[in-house]
Amino acid sequence: MFTFLLVFSCQRLSLKFGDVEDLRGLVIRLQMSNTFYEAAGQNWFTLDSVHIHYNWTQEATFNASEVYAPATSSYHCQHVSSLHKYDTLLVPSSHTDTSANWHITFTDFQIQAFNVQSDKFASASDCATFLTPAILMGLVTSLILLLVLAYALHMVVHLKHIDRYEEHKATVYFPRSPEAELPDKNSL
């Protein structure tokens, strides 16, 4: 679980892990910027890039421009990853370096870059989108059911009453069979 709180008003956060198990000299560097947007009327911070140095020789750089929040808030996401199954927020900066070979996933990621008031995160701006696939399928299904209901109501409204046409019914003629016309022998 990675949880970051940047207390300084600088634009770079470096995490150094040293030698842990098979990791030799792992350094994760987060490059952030703070920009004022007139349309929103406030500052927003953006995680511009993530640099990973491994074993003091290998380096991978990922662009993370989709990670942003108001400068007065923190940013929270369940998965910030370079994998497609987690909505790729970390994109390799170029396909010529080794970053295309890396798969990075931060779980329960929360960061606040600027305007830190205490040792706690401010309210979080979450990465969850409004139209998830489940919500979108629910809306499409509801639309289909609504159309079927509207068609059914249209058909019920235009039903014609059978009573209106009863006076124009034709009389039914049943011909008599020849045996019915013969006189009965016992009746004589």
Side-chain angles (χ1 to χ4, degrees):
M1 178 170 116
F2 285 94
T3 304
F4 307 112
L5 182 65
L6 185 61
V7 178
F8 313 105
S9 61
C10 66
Q11 297 177 344
R12 181 180 292 176
L13 174 65
S14 292
L15 304 168
K16 296 180 182 181
F17 291 97
D19 296 340
V20 179
E21 294 181 10
D22 293 335
L23 301 175
R24 302 279 184 252
L26 178 66
V27 177
I28 300 173
R29 200 173 303 141
L30 306 171
Q31 185 73 33
M32 294 168 277
S33 64
N34 191 7
T35 308
F36 180 78
Y37 291 98
E38 289 185 27
Q42 63 181 346
N43 287 331
W44 287 68
F45 79 88
T46 304
L47 179 61
D48 297 322
S49 61
V50 176
H51 302 276
I52 299 174
H53 299 277
Y54 172 66
N55 201 14
W56 298 287
T57 57
Q58 298 179 9
E59 180 179 352
T61 304
F62 295 91
N63 293 330
S65 59
E66 294 295 318
V67 177
Y68 56 87
T72 57
S73 301
S74 64
Y75 175 84
H76 177 264
C77 194
Q78 189 60 36
H79 298 284
V80 174
S81 178
S82 63
L83 298 174
H84 291 292
K85 70 178 184 177
Y86 295 124
D87 294 333
T88 309
L89 294 174
L90 299 176
V91 180
S93 62
S94 72
H95 296 287
T96 58
D97 66 357
T98 61
S99 59
N101 300 330
W102 288 64
H103 297 292
I104 306 298
T105 301
F106 295 111
T107 305
D108 197 20
F109 182 84
Q110 187 166 4
I111 188 169
Q112 183 174 350
F114 303 97
N115 298 329
V116 177
Q117 301 297 326
S118 64
D119 291 341
K120 295 181 181 177
F121 287 112
S123 61
S125 173
D126 204 57
C127 67
T129 59
F130 177 71
L131 286 178
T132 62
I135 292 174
L136 188 61
M137 288 307 297
L139 289 173
V140 168
T141 304
S142 298
L143 179 65
I144 291 171
L145 290 174
L146 187 64
L147 289 174
V148 168
L149 178 66
Y151 180 72
L153 287 174
H154 172 75
M155 295 305 286
V156 166
V157 166
H158 288 85
L159 280 177
K160 300 202 186 285
H161 297 284
I162 296 175
D163 297 341
R164 198 185 296 177
Y165 299 103
E166 279 188 26
E167 59 193 41
H168 300 291
K169 285 186 181 177
T171 57
V172 180
Y173 172 72
F174 294 106
R176 297 185 74 167
S177 66
E179 289 115 16
E181 293 181 11
L182 290 176
D184 195 9
K185 291 180 186 180
N186 296 336
S187 64
L188 289 176

